[in-house]
Amino acid sequence: MSGSLNPSSLARLLGRWNVGAAPAYRELADVVRLLVLDGRVALDVALPSERSLAVTLGTSRTTVTAAYALLREQGFLSGGQGSRSRSRIPGHGAATAGGNDDGRRLSGAPGLAVPDGILDLAYASLPASGEVVHRAFAAALTELPALLPGFGYDALGVGPLRAAIAARYTAAGVPTTAGQILVTSGAQHALNIVLRTLAGRSGKVLVEHPSYPNALDAIRAAGCRTVTVAMPAAPRAGTAAPVHDGGGAAGWDLEAMESALVQQRPAMAYVVPDFHNPTGRLMPDSQRRRLVASAAAAGTVLVVDETLRELNLDGAQSTPMAAFSPAVVSIGSLSKSHWAGLRTGWIRASEPLIQRFAAARTTFDLGGPVVEQLAAAHLVNDLAEPLPARLAALRENRDTLLKLVRGHLPGWEPERPDGGLSVWCRLPDPVSTALAVLAPDFGIRLAAGPRFGVGGAFEHYLRLPFTLPPEQLETAVVALRAAQARLDGAPQLRRSLPAQPAAAIA
Ligand SMILES: Cc1ncc(COP(=O)(O)O)c(C=O)c1O
């Protein structure tokens, strides 16, 4: 969507852009480039005029002119010379009202739309299980006529989909009625509804640290305060693994979670126990049981994001959190098992709570599109169908990525994930943002570590998705090695840029 950015909004996004590590115009261009790359400045947005931005930033017009010229040269701005400069990404045409136009499909990654020549490591998301999704929509269209006489508004979701989701929980050992399900437009929508209902403005929300960036953004946007609880670091090479209650290599720090619950009494705790984003860890049942009990004792509603639950790469067993207490609120989605383009997710909770969520939902929207929901019902009824092929490819990708990182990037310490779509990697130096800024010069797009934290944490980490096929992962890792070499040769580039929330990662 096109629009314009006024000078003070851009100044706010820029934060402390001039730290004096490089010529001012270059620093300004670097930060604007990061903002465009990670979505904080949307595509095809008109930037402020050079004069007005210079005045607002208290810098010279020459600096802004030179920064804009550099961005234009690098392909991050179009226009100028009489017309307003607009944001773009190299290889993308100008965005239209329908979105970006010429994202090309990479060979070997059917359906993965990325800017020409750029490998996108900022999204941890897969192309659709195309045939399965297509078949579900064909079936949905044959069922549509039966629903056409209705009004088409249904804040809870269409019956067949709610029944299918409920049956799935029941089969997994959590008896569930259709009345306990609210269908949403994805897990992110579900979280927003839950926040609106349960957390209240200025309420506290406990989160794992690191956590899923768009969830952190949603919590912040809801006016809530995050109470962060650090995930234990993975054991460093050559050191003994710390011992956690039943956890894997690192797990969760239940003592820290419990003391935060007792001391802070947050209204809500948001956790991703099933292949946590970004670490890929699976919370063991012993920790699940403990966490559910501790949240209940603190009067905190435990909100469990199960978006990645189906991406179980090593077949480890775990019990859905809701099996331990009827008070748990579960969020699910078809985005990772089938396709994010379905925009279909759900909330499972007690029936009275579901009614409250439905009432809160109507401030966002009045229900989901019907054909999508009918198609989703077919997908949920046959949830396992696309998974074996998906998991086999992901397993190969994960193992390839781990091997490549260990081979090409000595000093980088990737953590082996139990599932999910990404590897959380410790870097030898705190240069994650600097790498993300340099990455497009080397043909890749990255989400810097601080995007997964609060207050600029995780400069020492990078999330590397393994959603690309092995040959493209190799290209990406070689590019990372080149970017790292550029940093090693130019210490002035190793500086932190402001870490702020953004939307263009998943
Ligand atoms: C943990 C987690 N929650 C939610 C989402 C967003 O899901 P949806 O596409 O269903 O909104 C993602 C996507 O990456 C995720 O990793």
Side-chain angles (χ1 to χ4, degrees):
M1 208 174 64
S2 55
S4 62
L5 201 56
N6 65 38
S8 37
S9 303
L10 181 54
R12 251 193 318 279
L13 288 167
L14 287 166
R16 211 165 65 80
W17 58 274
N18 53 339
V19 294
Y25 80 91
R26 189 166 269 285
E27 291 191 305
L28 181 57
D30 276 354
V31 183
V32 172
R33 182 163 71 155
L34 180 74
L35 294 172
V36 173
L37 278 166
D38 68 15
R40 281 173 273 170
V41 170
L43 293 187
D44 199 27
V45 160
L47 263 55
S49 69
E50 292 164 5
R51 191 186 54 77
S52 65
L53 185 60
V55 170
T56 306
L57 295 180
T59 189
S60 74
R61 183 159 171 185
T62 324
T63 298
V64 179
T65 304
Y68 277 18
L70 181 59
L71 288 162
R72 217 169 278 121
E73 194 186 303
Q74 294 170 335
F76 287 89
L77 282 189
S78 61
Q81 274 123 31
S83 64
R84 292 276 289 276
S85 300
R86 305 188 84 88
S87 53
R88 65 189 296 274
I89 284 185
H92 273 266
T96 62
N100 300 323
D101 53 0
D102 69 346
R104 302 275 171 83
R105 288 172 194 284
L106 289 172
S107 59
L112 189 68
V114 297
D116 204 7
I118 295 246
L119 289 178
D120 198 325
L121 297 180
Y123 276 94
S125 202
L126 288 168
S129 316
E131 205 190 310
V132 178
V133 170
H134 196 268
R135 226 184 305 127
F137 270 86
L141 278 178
T142 67
E143 292 159 3
L144 180 63
L147 283 106
L148 291 177
F151 288 128
Y153 286 120
D154 195 340
L156 289 164
V158 304
L161 178 54
R162 298 173 72 208
I165 296 166
R168 187 172 150 240
Y169 275 103
T170 303
V174 192
T176 303
T177 64
Q180 287 179 264
I181 302 295
L182 174 87
V183 177
T184 64
S185 300
Q188 183 71 9
H189 181 216
L191 175 60
N192 275 301
I193 294 170
V194 171
L195 281 164
R196 171 78 52 95
T197 313
L198 296 179
R201 285 195 81 75
S202 82
K204 292 183 195 164
V205 179
L206 181 146
V207 293
E208 298 139 332
H209 203 218
S211 184
Y212 174 54
N214 294 326
L216 295 175
D217 289 351
I219 292 165
R220 209 175 286 124
C224 301
R225 276 179 296 149
T226 47
V227 174
T228 56
V229 177
M231 302 274 287
R236 311 285 301 275
T239 63
V243 179
H244 292 285
D245 169 29
W252 276 251
D253 186 342
L254 258 287
E255 279 92 50
M257 286 182 123
E258 283 167 347
S259 64
L261 285 167
V262 168
Q263 285 164 24
Q264 304 280 344
R265 305 234 161 233
M268 213 181 107
Y270 167 82
V271 294
V272 187
D274 297 286
F275 315 117
H276 172 258
N277 189 352
T279 63
R281 293 179 195 171
L282 178 68
M283 186 185 279
D285 275 4
S286 54
Q287 291 196 332
R288 288 173 190 242
R289 192 174 289 109
R290 234 176 107 180
L291 182 57
V292 168
S294 313
T300 298
V301 181
L302 191 57
V303 178
V304 178
D305 185 340
E306 298 177 335
T307 296
L308 294 143
R309 183 164 168 84
E310 304 305 328
L311 301 184
N312 184 351
L313 296 183
D314 296 330
Q317 295 297 311
S318 67
T319 307
M321 211 81 135
F324 297 109
S325 164
V328 167
V329 173
S330 311
I331 288 174
S333 171
L334 290 180
S335 285
K336 306 299 168 176
S337 58
H338 290 76
W339 192 36
L342 292 164
R343 303 311 309 136
T344 301
W346 57 85
I347 308 173
R348 181 206 179 274
S350 66
E351 292 197 18
L353 208 42
I354 287 292
Q355 291 300 330
R356 285 179 61 200
F357 292 146
R361 178 206 188 126
T362 56
T363 61
F364 295 107
D365 66 2
L366 303 179
V370 169
V371 180
E372 273 74 0
Q373 293 184 70
L374 292 174
H378 287 278
L379 298 173
V380 173
N381 278 328
D382 209 356
L383 194 77
E385 196 189 349
L387 288 176
R390 214 158 238 246
L391 295 180
L394 282 174
R395 229 172 266 126
E396 187 192 350
N397 293 357
R398 174 194 61 184
D399 296 345
T400 302
L401 178 61
L402 290 171
K403 212 157 109 203
L404 285 165
V405 171
R406 289 182 186 127
H408 287 284
L409 294 160
W412 289 38
E413 297 175 44
E415 177 177 344
R416 186 179 190 279
D418 301 312
L421 295 167
S422 59
V423 165
W424 188 234
C425 189
R426 187 178 157 86
L427 308 175
D429 298 296
V431 291
S432 196
T433 302
L435 275 175
V437 170
L438 282 181
D441 289 353
F442 297 88
I444 49 178
R445 196 171 90 92
L446 298 172
R451 299 289 309 285
F452 298 82
V454 173
F458 304 119
E459 270 299 353
H460 246 295
Y461 286 84
L462 195 57
R463 184 188 71 168
L464 297 174
F466 43 86
T467 44
L468 298 174
E471 63 279 14
Q472 288 176 5
L473 286 175
E474 177 155 20
T475 306
V477 171
V478 168
L480 279 171
R481 186 179 61 187
Q484 155 102 66
R486 163 92 67 91
L487 273 185
D488 289 345
Q492 73 277 14
L493 294 172
R494 294 163 164 256
R495 61 191 179 80
S496 281
L497 295 167
Q500 286 172 352
I505 65 176

